[in-house]
Amino acid sequence: MSLLEVRNLSIDYLREDGTALHAVEEVGFTLEESRSLGLVGESGCGKTTAIQGILRLLPAQGRIVSGEVLYRGTDLFSLSEEEMRKYRWKHLSIVFQGSMNALNPVRQVGSQIADAIKMHEPANNGRQVEARVHHLLDLVGITPQRSRHYPHQYSGGMRQRAMIAMALACSPDILIADEPTTALDVMIQAQILDLLQKLQKELALSIILVTHDLGVVAEMCDDVLVMYGGRTAEYASVDTIFNNAQHPYTLRLLQAFPDVANPSSKLASIPGYPPPLDAMPRGCRFEPRCHRKRAICAEQIPALEAIQPGHYVACPFREDN
Amino acid sequence: MQRSDYLIRKVLFGLITLAVVVGFNFALFRILPGDPVKAIARSPRLTQEAREKLRVEFGLDKPVFLDLERLKTGDVIGAFDTQFTAYINALLHGNLGISFRSRRAVSEVLAERVWRTVVLVAAAETLSLVLGIALGLVAAWRRGTRADMGILLYALFSWGLPTFFLGIILLVLAQGLLPVGGMVTPGLKPQDGWVYWIDVAKHLILPTLTMAIIYTSSYILIMRSSVMGVLSEDYILTAKAKGMSTFRILRSEALKNAMLPMVTIVALNLAYTVGGAIQVETVFSWPGIGRLMYEAVTMRDYPVLQGTFLLLAVAVIVANLAADILYSVLDPRVKAS
Amino acid sequence: MQQLKEIGHTFLRRPMGIVGLIMLLVVIFVALFAPWLAPYDPNEKIDVEPGDLLAPPDSEHLLGRDDAGKDVLSLLIYGARVSLTVGFVASFMSMVIGTTVGLVAGYRGGRIDNISMRLVDFLLVIPSLPLMLVLISMWGRGLWKIILVIGLLGWTISARLVRSQVLSIKERRYILRARAIGASHTRITTRHVLPQVVPLVLAEAVLAVSGAIIAESSLSFLGLGDPTLVSWGMMLNFAFERAISRRAWWFLLPPGFAIVWVSVGLILIGSTLEEIVNPSLKTHHLFDPRQMMARFVGIAPKEPAPEVSTRVETEGAD
């Protein structure tokens, strides 16, 4: 039994007139203990929606249309809201994109972390909770005295680290990090990534890392799921993706990624824009921008095939064919 | 921003406002046409002695602002021997003049009646706040539902209801059920102990209710928009992700954040609330300074009018200052360095 | 102008706004056609007998008669003129002053802005009704005096509103572009900033009218109305002093209901406009979470109309 298995996840957004926009379609993956998965794609490809859906934290217009999220065998989608709440944070926690307001500005940082502990592990007394909070802050490199400070007294990088500390408060099995390094400068980015790696080793944490940055994926992840237009384009181990990518989109992504070993190689950008949700192509989502397309691509949505154990591609005209 | 800077600026502004109000008060009654103080000299209600006393006290024989004659002769101190200085001097000694009608010191009349208005306003504001916060919270949380619509409709409707007319309606409706006039049933005295105070409380019900019905609406509207703003912030999503129940989120994350602006709003509203108190005290004959002002208008008792206005203005200014200070303490984003 | 037409169209689709509009139009109609609608002329001298004073409603006097024997219905109808006049003129004054101050303060910034806002803060802190009482008492009673007092004290809200709107517009690209090509400040203000501000001011103005009407009625009720005119507030003043003990509801209640009618109508219009011009947040995070699990709730959303796939120029095939 896997730690987390997502099957056939489809999520819609309802518009004001009642029509549905398909934000995520038939996405699935497996996550094992102490492994990390990178969820990669351009803005608007549905990766944030997918992970919000997994935790059932979609915005008001979001609808989970189908799928199963099996955490150690239990389908989270079959739970009531109260039951789901017990799983949140305790087993699966999330670090949102670093924003000014992800932490409550009028409460002390320490007390916000303590909240999580008190809620899920009420057996602890005041002193134990405080000790845990200090330990967590220490873990992410923040001096424990600062637990009495307010978020506006923290720098951007510190806030992100505090969010990570808070996410680990109840020792979850799975940490989902949504673009944890975007909006931070490069030095801080490196710090955060190092921290995540260290935590993963020390705490045997499984991480789902949502990002559009392949460099981060290369460093941190064991497996990669490339999304495009709400669907899975390619899903394989990181080695396979970087050395034997098959989907045209994945190939283009890699080409757009600067290669240290070959600095003079030209950076290729992918012409065009990702499809807007209300104007999805009828067939393959990538077809309009694809360099390998055929007539049938515009008509039929390509199925996700396992071309080898653990390597899935959704393109019949992949590299090898 | 630095809290000490913030406070100093607010106190300074408060003092300037006070000074301007005092000056304005003075100007109003000395310079405008129909200058009543000059009318004192002709007022048949006062004896010759009283008139002379007033003339001397208010320095009616002296220039208004600055004695230019004396200034020219180099007598700088003497140049300030004017009506204005006399006025300030009198003010600082707590002397607000003498009522035309009752011939008592204005300050005495005010002191006697002010606590009755304070009790009324305090009761009404407390009720309005509690209801306003609760209903505003519900309306925002249940946005778009019938509860929200109902609460909004109530708020909009009471906005268009003049306070005095609501008082009249309640007075008509409550005839026979609740006391509708005055502060106590004639015959009862404070020495009668509990009975007296309960009677006062009964007389307080209708005026308080009238004001509360009207002023709750502004708190509802403000709380509602404040809560809606707060509930759409990122930290609410974080709280949800932490597994907090809706009730818990409202209580620990949303409430305090949404209520912060209310502190300064209550003080600002006070400027309108005293207007409501005047109307309500008039309708229900509640013997506070609101009714005093109404009587002074009817009787053209200008010293009382002037004194009451000054008192009310000063009270509101001070209340606003206190609210600003309180706010700076409550909001951690306004910190000392 | 285009924008105003759009707002008008949207407005007509809001039932609350339409109700308010109808309520207001009724009052305007009554005020305009008062001489034809009112059965009696309130200014006419009439011979009264003691039994006529505070007479209850009958076939000749649908709302009875007041404490001087006059027909209440006619007084009520003519009273509309005073309320509407004061309401519209005083709030027009406030809006013009407030918008000008807000525009200048927001656009110029600096010292002018500071002084203006201090002035606004100052006025906001002074209790309004006591101030108006004092001013009218000193100055004397009269329609124009009331209009001026209400108008000159009511500009603060619109000033603040306009100023914050201007501040947010000031830094937008098209303004910066206009400045870069050398457009004068007046030109920028009138051609670019003002049109953005007008819809908001309009919504606020409607609400201000109701505020002015209520202010006038309060002043009149407290005895400071224009003695030569009939106003609803003044009717209430007389009724309160003389009709309550005699239980003459027909004199006591209609003027008050009339005030409420016109105010609520204006408020409905104003808040609808405000919602159109400045829509509040659509939603927040604490909605009912059950709606998220569509299949459990059994909602089958409609499919959007089939789209033609967007064709984008691609580079040559590899």
Side-chain angles (χ1 to χ4, degrees):
Chain A
M1 181 168 52
S2 315
L3 176 61
L4 183 72
E5 193 181 333
V6 175
R7 292 191 204 150
N8 205 24
L9 178 63
S10 296
I11 299 173
D12 284 349
Y13 280 130
L14 284 189
R15 285 195 290 194
E16 282 208 20
D17 56 9
T19 54
L21 300 172
H22 308 305
V24 173
E25 284 179 283
E26 298 169 356
V27 169
F29 59 83
T30 309
L31 185 68
E32 304 292 350
E33 314 240 9
S34 294
R35 303 269 295 177
S36 53
L37 169 73
L39 201 51
V40 181
E42 289 166 287
S43 318
C45 72
K47 45 194 205 296
T48 300
T49 308
I51 54 166
Q52 281 180 345
I54 290 171
L55 286 174
R56 289 165 60 167
L57 287 175
L58 293 171
Q61 324 89 289
R63 297 287 180 274
I64 297 175
V65 173
S66 72
E68 290 158 322
V69 173
L70 299 166
Y71 171 76
R72 296 188 192 279
T74 311
D75 182 8
L76 296 180
F77 283 1
S78 67
L79 303 174
S80 72
E81 180 66 18
E82 280 106 270
E83 291 167 345
M84 182 70 205
R85 264 189 244 131
K86 298 205 200 93
Y87 280 79
R88 285 198 193 119
W89 224 249
K90 180 123 186 69
H91 301 290
L92 303 101
S93 68
I94 181 166
V95 176
F96 294 109
Q97 215 163 325
S99 71
M100 185 67 217
N101 272 334
L103 289 168
N104 190 334
V106 304
R107 295 182 61 195
Q108 294 172 354
V109 175
S111 96
Q112 297 186 52
I113 301 178
D115 250 3
I117 302 172
K118 281 190 255 187
M119 201 176 9
H120 292 280
E121 296 170 29
N124 293 303
N125 67 34
R127 204 145 357 121
Q128 288 171 311
V129 171
E130 205 183 324
R132 274 278 283 282
V133 171
H134 286 188
H135 168 72
L136 286 163
L137 288 174
D138 191 45
L139 204 60
V140 300
I142 297 176
T143 45
Q145 279 82 334
R146 302 202 74 152
S147 81
R148 291 200 181 284
H149 286 189
Y150 292 90
H152 66 274
Q153 292 170 287
Y154 280 30
S155 71
M158 280 176 77
R159 270 199 298 275
Q160 196 68 336
R161 281 185 277 148
M163 291 278 294
I164 294 174
M166 189 161 74
L168 299 171
C170 305
S171 314
D173 299 312
I174 300 174
L175 175 69
I176 304 177
D178 189 358
E179 309 262 16
T181 54
T182 316
L184 294 173
D185 67 52
V186 190
M187 295 287 288
I188 313 286
Q189 274 189 31
Q191 268 181 28
I192 301 285
L193 287 176
D194 284 341
L195 175 64
L196 284 175
Q197 274 185 311
K198 178 188 101 165
L199 290 170
Q200 180 175 31
K201 278 202 205 79
E202 283 181 27
L203 306 172
L205 201 56
S206 298
I207 299 182
I208 300 178
L209 194 59
V210 175
T211 180
H212 58 269
D213 186 344
L214 277 177
V216 169
V217 168
E219 242 192 83
M220 292 251 350
C221 302
D222 300 309
D223 298 302
V224 182
L225 194 153
V226 180
M227 276 181 77
Y228 187 82
R231 306 188 60 90
T232 310
E234 193 160 359
Y235 174 36
S237 73
V238 66
D239 285 326
T240 314
I241 292 286
F242 276 86
N243 297 319
N244 192 23
Q246 294 295 314
H247 196 285
Y249 176 58
T250 320
L251 288 167
R252 289 296 231 170
L253 266 186
L254 288 166
Q255 278 176 352
F257 186 65
D259 184 0
V260 175
N262 196 356
S264 60
S265 68
K266 266 204 321 201
L267 279 181
S269 70
I270 314 175
Y273 299 96
L277 280 182
D278 57 358
M280 279 291 188
R282 220 160 20 137
C284 171
R285 305 303 191 218
F286 188 58
E287 181 269 337
R289 304 161 78 189
C290 185
H291 58 284
R292 300 177 66 86
K293 64 183 174 209
R294 303 278 187 271
I296 195 172
C297 294
E299 304 297 317
Q300 232 179 32
I301 299 179
L304 190 68
E305 290 172 51
I307 57 172
Q308 272 177 30
H311 186 178
Y312 302 83
V313 185
C315 180
F317 305 110
R318 54 187 173 272
E319 201 63 25
D320 280 352
N321 266 8
Chain B
M1 67 179 101
Q2 300 229 19
R3 192 202 285 176
S4 43
D5 275 354
Y6 175 82
L7 286 181
I8 291 176
R9 269 199 295 136
K10 290 289 176 181
V11 169
L12 213 60
F13 180 71
L15 288 174
I16 296 177
T17 313
L18 268 173
V20 175
V21 166
V22 165
F24 166 79
N25 217 13
F26 173 78
L28 201 57
F29 289 87
R30 300 303 160 86
I31 296 177
L32 283 187
D35 178 354
V37 181
K38 293 206 184 77
I40 294 176
R42 291 174 256 128
S43 166
R45 285 201 213 122
L46 300 176
T47 65
Q48 181 68 16
E49 280 170 53
R51 263 185 257 158
E52 269 312 304
K53 195 160 168 245
L54 277 173
R55 279 185 67 86
V56 169
E57 222 173 296
F58 287 110
L60 288 185
D61 46 339
K62 297 185 194 144
V64 180
F65 270 127
L66 208 60
D67 194 340
L68 290 169
E69 296 294 323
R70 286 214 219 170
L71 199 59
K72 280 185 209 152
T73 63
D75 183 5
V76 178
I77 306 280
F80 280 98
D81 183 19
T82 61
Q83 290 187 36
F84 187 59
T85 338
Y87 175 73
I88 302 285
N89 192 34
L91 263 189
L92 289 173
H93 284 100
N95 183 350
L96 287 164
I98 297 188
S99 158
F100 283 178
R101 188 172 67 145
S102 66
R103 275 167 272 167
R104 295 163 60 202
V106 170
S107 41
E108 198 182 302
V109 177
L110 285 177
E112 197 177 72
R113 298 172 75 141
V114 71
W115 70 268
R116 299 172 189 157
T117 304
V118 170
V119 165
L120 174 61
V121 171
E125 280 285 318
T126 310
L127 190 57
S128 307
L129 258 181
V130 167
L131 284 177
I133 288 176
L135 291 175
L137 183 65
V138 169
W141 170 32
R142 293 258 180 251
R143 188 182 197 279
T145 62
R146 271 179 301 180
D148 182 24
M149 303 273 172
I151 292 174
L152 267 184
L153 230 56
Y154 157 66
L156 290 179
F157 183 76
S158 58
W159 205 245
L161 195 55
T163 314
F164 68 89
F165 186 61
L166 177 63
I168 291 177
I169 293 181
L170 288 182
L171 190 151
V172 164
L173 287 176
Q175 291 265 2
L177 295 168
L178 281 170
V180 293
M183 191 176 75
V184 263
T185 317
L188 285 177
K189 294 184 290 289
Q191 295 87 311
D192 295 333
W194 260 132
V195 183
Y196 176 81
W197 293 111
I198 292 186
D199 192 57
V200 171
K202 272 204 250 171
H203 280 83
L204 193 55
I205 292 180
L206 282 179
T208 306
L209 202 60
T210 309
M211 283 179 75
I213 291 178
I214 303 282
Y215 293 107
T216 301
S217 60
S218 89
Y219 293 135
I220 287 179
L221 290 175
I222 292 168
M223 185 69 181
R224 179 179 178 272
S225 83
S226 181
V227 171
M228 278 192 338
V230 164
L231 289 184
S232 63
E233 295 272 14
D234 293 337
Y235 54 85
I236 299 292
L237 186 60
T238 308
K240 258 175 94 169
K242 279 204 256 184
M244 286 173 107
S245 67
T246 303
F247 180 69
R248 231 195 128 129
I249 296 179
L250 283 174
R251 196 194 54 177
S252 15
E253 306 281 341
L255 204 60
K256 187 177 177 202
N257 295 57
M259 269 172 49
L260 265 183
M262 295 293 265
V263 172
T264 40
I265 297 291
V266 170
L268 262 180
N269 264 4
L270 219 50
Y272 297 102
T273 316
V274 299
I278 295 176
Q279 297 177 53
V280 161
E281 287 187 13
T282 304
V283 169
F284 292 101
S285 308
W286 180 263
I289 54 180
R291 181 160 177 93
L292 181 66
M293 207 164 185
Y294 168 68
E295 289 165 4
V297 165
T298 321
M299 306 282 185
R300 304 196 195 298
D301 194 348
Y302 295 114
V304 171
L305 201 55
Q306 177 184 9
T308 316
F309 173 69
L310 194 61
L311 179 62
L312 288 174
V314 168
V316 175
I317 293 170
V318 169
N320 270 281
L321 195 59
D324 284 333
I325 294 176
L326 184 62
Y327 183 85
S328 77
V329 167
L330 291 175
D331 187 343
R333 287 168 285 194
V334 183
K335 289 282 291 175
S337 64
Chain C
M1 284 309 114
Q2 176 74 358
Q3 224 184 353
L4 289 177
K5 258 193 268 176
E6 267 179 49
I7 294 177
H9 281 308
T10 321
F11 182 85
L12 290 174
R13 274 187 264 146
R14 304 275 172 109
M16 266 202 349
I18 297 184
V19 168
L21 191 59
I22 294 176
M23 287 168 84
L24 178 64
L25 287 175
V26 164
V27 179
I28 294 181
F29 178 80
V30 166
L32 277 178
F33 294 104
W36 292 276
L37 290 168
Y40 300 85
D41 179 355
N43 289 321
E44 215 181 297
K45 294 269 180 246
I46 46 176
D47 297 316
V48 284
E49 289 151 38
D52 292 338
L53 303 181
L54 288 177
D58 58 36
S59 53
E60 287 191 0
H61 299 274
L62 291 173
L63 281 176
R65 300 165 91 160
D66 75 353
D67 60 317
K70 298 210 183 132
D71 177 42
V72 172
L73 181 60
S74 308
L75 288 172
L76 197 68
I77 290 175
Y78 272 91
R81 292 188 155 186
V82 177
S83 292
L84 288 181
T85 309
V86 175
F88 282 104
V89 178
S91 64
F92 179 74
M93 206 183 290
S94 304
M95 285 297 128
V96 167
I97 300 176
T99 308
T100 314
V101 171
L103 263 177
V104 171
Y107 192 73
R108 288 307 191 128
R111 185 96 57 86
I112 297 183
D113 185 19
N114 256 328
I115 296 179
S116 309
M117 285 308 112
R118 291 301 136 246
L119 194 57
V120 167
D121 285 337
F122 170 73
L123 272 179
L124 280 178
V125 153
I126 310 284
S128 48
L129 189 61
L131 181 59
M132 287 196 251
L133 279 181
V134 161
L135 285 174
I136 301 281
S137 297
M138 303 305 310
W139 200 11
R141 299 160 69 173
L143 186 65
W144 280 102
K145 295 187 178 144
I146 291 188
I147 291 178
L148 271 173
V149 165
I150 297 178
L152 290 175
L153 290 179
W155 57 269
T156 49
I157 301 183
S158 53
R160 271 226 178 133
L161 218 63
V162 168
R163 174 183 175 269
S164 71
Q165 184 80 341
V166 169
L167 284 179
S168 72
I169 294 176
K170 212 167 58 156
E171 300 305 320
R172 292 207 191 142
R173 288 234 185 87
Y174 60 91
I175 300 288
L176 297 176
R177 264 187 244 138
R179 282 227 287 268
I181 64 172
S184 77
H185 288 307
T186 332
R187 190 177 168 79
I188 294 180
T189 329
T190 47
R191 281 204 62 187
H192 296 285
V193 179
L194 198 55
Q196 293 275 15
V197 158
V198 163
L200 202 62
V201 171
L202 226 55
E204 201 47 50
V206 173
L207 292 169
V209 175
S210 82
I213 291 178
I214 293 182
E216 182 273 325
S217 70
S218 308
L219 284 173
S220 299
F221 173 72
L222 292 171
L224 293 172
D226 187 327
T228 63
L229 294 173
V230 177
S231 101
W232 292 332
M234 279 185 64
M235 286 173 76
L236 287 167
N237 175 303
F238 293 137
F240 180 67
E241 279 172 20
R242 299 163 209 181
I244 282 196
S245 49
R246 300 268 298 271
R247 296 177 187 268
W249 312 142
W250 52 92
F251 184 30
L252 188 64
L253 299 179
F257 286 133
I259 299 172
V260 174
W261 175 273
V262 73
S263 301
V264 171
L266 284 162
I267 288 173
L268 285 176
I269 299 175
S271 49
T272 310
L273 279 175
E274 209 176 49
E275 181 69 30
I276 295 175
V277 168
N278 200 5
S280 45
L281 306 164
K282 287 290 173 201
T283 184
H284 53 67
H285 291 298
L286 289 191
F287 51 89
D288 184 356
R290 286 173 299 180
Q291 69 192 35
M292 212 187 292
M293 310 299 295
R295 61 179 173 172
F296 297 136
V297 183
I299 303 171
K302 298 172 263 176
E303 289 293 328
E307 299 284 348
V308 177
S309 55
T310 45
R311 304 217 149 246
V312 180
E313 279 301 302
T314 56
E315 296 178 347
D318 283 10

